Amino acid sequence: GDRDVMTYLNSDDMLTPNAIRFAVAKFQAFPEVKWLTGRPCELDESGQLRKIHETQVFPQVTLAAGLHDGEHLPFVMQEGTFWTGCLWNRAGGIRTDLRLAGDYDLWRRFAEHEALYSTEVLLGLHRRHSGQLSSGSRYTEELEEKALNSALRDERDSIWAGYRNWHANGLATLPLHSQVLQYDSSQDTWVKQYRWLPRGLAPARYVAEGRSRKMGRVEFQDGFSAEEYADLHINLGRGARFARLGASRLVLHSDAHGVHFLMLRLRNFAESATLTIRRGEQTVLTREVPHTGHDFDAVVSAEVRLEPGENLFEVTVAESPEGPKLGLLVLCVETVPAELAF
């Protein structure tokens, strides 16, 4: 019925103690909440807890567009996600023709009707092991071939373009926030809060003799890792990425022709690492970066000639034989026209 509280659980996953009681209590306390999800966490094959993820943010607009597919934006984990019978009935239930991506499709249709609320609480435990049905490319193939038609893919790509514009430039044309149920210790009660999707800082503005200009936008492509989580204990902001050993691709966006200063802020965990940046056959920068750990940053710069639009560069990292093979952690990459730098 409409007042039922529903969930489902894969055979190798678990609910935490009192998860069902928690969900029922929150649906009663907040009648406007129609579905909620807990903080994702992982078990290994033996059932040992190995990772607790950050509280996720699931804007209704990106959920309804199908962007939470693990490729564009994080999944909604089905273990620890609860919903009401009325939402299930309005969305039409689960599609039985989808063997792997049924949860993805259900969440997308739920979001056409109601916002998903995240909580800080651990409600479900996801077990990771080899041979899972959803591992590899099978999940993505079913999602692309059966869960989305061409119109839905076009809508997804349009919303993704808006998200990327906001992420790069700070121009919010979409409601990229979601609702979070948070416990307020000062009031001894649960409250609703807005939380925006995480992003790094917008490009800095270079200021010189009364003039200021936004520094060039950078796009990390093949070869770079996913964004690292922010960690205030080591002064690590969101948006840092590893340039893996070998070649990575970096695109510098410019709205002006001419010589620019390229500046990179880095951290290195090997005994030494050599950073080389090329544009085609031209080497524009080769620097040996000292070992920094998380104790300090290394900053390198070079002059580059940019054309209006996209400028593609290749980044390669070579490390000393000893030490961990991590690559360089790239904290920040920015450009500024040379005439402004003097």
Side-chain angles (χ1 to χ4, degrees), residues 1-6 84-86 89:
D2 283 355
R3 299 183 63 184
D4 291 340
V5 174
M6 304 177 66
T84 63
C86 66
N89 292 331

Side-chain angles (χ1 to χ4, degrees), residues 9 14-16 19 38-42 79-82 121-126:
L9 194 66
M14 299 172 58
L15 292 178
T16 60
R39 193 165 176 171
C41 57
E42 299 177 14
E79 70 287 340
T81 298
F82 294 82
V121 177
L122 303 184
L123 299 176
L125 308 171
H126 175 63

Side-chain angles (χ1 to χ4, degrees), residues 32 43 51 53 102 114 142 180 232 249 266 304:
E32 66 276 24
L43 307 174
K51 185 174 184 178
H53 294 259
E114 298 287 346
E142 182 176 277
V180 176
L232 298 181
R249 290 158 58 92
L266 311 165
V304 295

Side-chain angles (χ1 to χ4, degrees), residues 163-342:
Y163 165 82
R164 292 184 67 188
N165 185 45
W166 165 77
H167 195 272
N169 299 311
L171 303 175
T173 58
L174 299 169
L176 295 173
H177 54 74
S178 73
Q179 299 274 12
V180 176
L181 287 181
Q182 180 95 15
Y183 181 72
D184 186 335
S185 300
S186 64
Q187 301 182 53
D188 190 24
T189 188
W190 287 83
V191 297
K192 294 189 303 180
Q193 295 181 342
Y194 280 111
R195 185 171 296 175
W196 284 80
L197 275 171
R199 63 181 291 269
L201 290 175
R205 298 196 72 89
Y206 190 89
V207 179
E209 297 182 356
R211 294 183 298 165
S212 70
R213 181 167 178 169
K214 184 173 67 175
M215 300 183 76
R217 182 166 66 88
V218 176
E219 185 177 350
F220 297 95
Q221 293 192 343
D222 302 337
F224 285 95
S225 70
E227 290 185 9
E228 297 293 308
Y229 286 121
D231 190 337
L232 298 181
H233 296 286
I234 53 175
N235 292 313
L236 183 64
R238 182 175 292 275
R241 298 169 184 263
F242 276 100
R244 302 295 190 189
L245 297 181
S248 304
R249 290 158 58 92
L250 188 69
V251 175
L252 306 181
H253 293 262
S254 175
D255 57 5
H257 169 84
V259 176
H260 290 61
F261 275 101
L262 168 65
M263 289 168 279
L264 301 92
R265 186 176 293 271
L266 311 165
R267 292 183 188 177
N268 173 34
F269 303 92
E271 289 301 314
S272 67
T274 300
L275 169 70
T276 302
I277 299 180
R278 296 183 178 88
R279 185 175 190 181
E281 298 298 321
Q282 179 191 13
T283 299
V284 299
L285 180 150
T286 298
R287 296 285 189 278
E288 183 172 325
V289 183
H291 173 85
T292 68
H294 287 300
D295 297 324
F296 61 92
D297 299 340
V299 178
V300 301
S301 65
E303 290 187 12
V304 295
R305 182 170 293 276
L306 300 182
E307 305 295 333
E310 297 184 353
N311 298 263
L312 178 64
F313 291 80
E314 182 180 271
V315 178
T316 58
V317 178
E319 292 184 352
S320 57
E322 61 276 3
K325 299 301 179 182
L326 293 174
L328 287 178
L329 182 61
V330 181
L331 306 182
C332 179
V333 181
E334 293 178 312
T335 65
V336 62
E339 69 268 18
L340 288 183
F342 296 101

